[in-house]
Amino acid sequence: MSISNEALHKLVREIEAQSIAAQQQIGLVRTQQASKQREMRLAQLTRNELATLPETTAVYEGVGKMFVSVPVPALKDRLSTEMKEMETEVENLGKRLHYLETTAKNSQEHIEKMLKGGGQA
């Protein structure tokens, strides 16, 4: 059974659109993943610096246009919690990236298969 040229062109355009959308999403996810990894690194460095300070040290956290005194243990706990959340987000972004890369690859393979096969099933 062969597919008409018009139907073949329409199908190729649809698959190509899916591939382009997947490529755009891949770029977005990679950017988000890099951003989260930078945030994690910053939190890790901050936590390491806090570990060298005595517990009684006055530490301040920026809140809007002002600074608020925060106990060192509370800040360490908050940074640890944030890092765990970011690790989960990076892991989820990695899964999404894998899915999008697979989708893009499959779309390209389908287009190549249709063009090589001349639309014959």
Side-chain angles (χ1 to χ4, degrees):
M1 179 176 119
S2 71
I3 301 173
S4 70
N5 279 342
E6 185 178 316
L8 179 63
H9 288 296
K10 182 179 178 185
L11 190 57
V12 168
R13 281 192 302 266
E14 287 177 13
I15 294 173
E16 189 175 36
Q18 287 176 346
S19 177
I20 291 169
Q23 290 295 334
Q24 290 171 343
Q25 289 292 319
I26 286 171
L28 180 64
V29 168
R30 284 187 178 148
T31 302
Q32 290 173 338
Q33 199 173 31
S35 175
K36 288 295 179 191
Q37 288 171 339
R38 276 191 302 276
E39 288 178 32
M40 278 178 49
R41 182 73 180 136
L42 181 61
Q44 178 67 38
L45 291 171
T46 304
R47 199 173 76 183
N48 290 346
E49 287 297 317
L50 287 174
T52 63
L53 297 175
E55 297 289 321
T56 58
T57 304
V59 180
Y60 297 90
E61 184 175 19
V63 179
K65 293 184 177 182
M66 64 182 199
F67 293 93
V68 176
S69 179
V70 178
V72 173
L75 190 54
K76 286 180 185 177
D77 290 343
R78 188 181 60 77
L79 287 171
S80 294
T81 303
E82 284 180 10
M83 285 182 56
K84 287 176 186 174
E85 290 171 1
M86 285 186 268
E87 285 173 5
T88 303
E89 289 176 23
V90 167
E91 185 178 314
N92 290 338
L93 287 169
K95 290 176 184 177
R96 179 158 169 75
L97 181 63
H98 177 70
Y99 168 77
L100 290 168
E101 287 174 340
T102 303
T103 300
K105 180 181 162 223
N106 288 342
S107 296
Q108 290 297 330
E109 288 175 358
H110 282 92
I111 290 171
E112 289 174 14
K113 184 177 178 183
M114 283 190 286
L115 293 177
K116 287 180 183 178
Q120 295 183 5

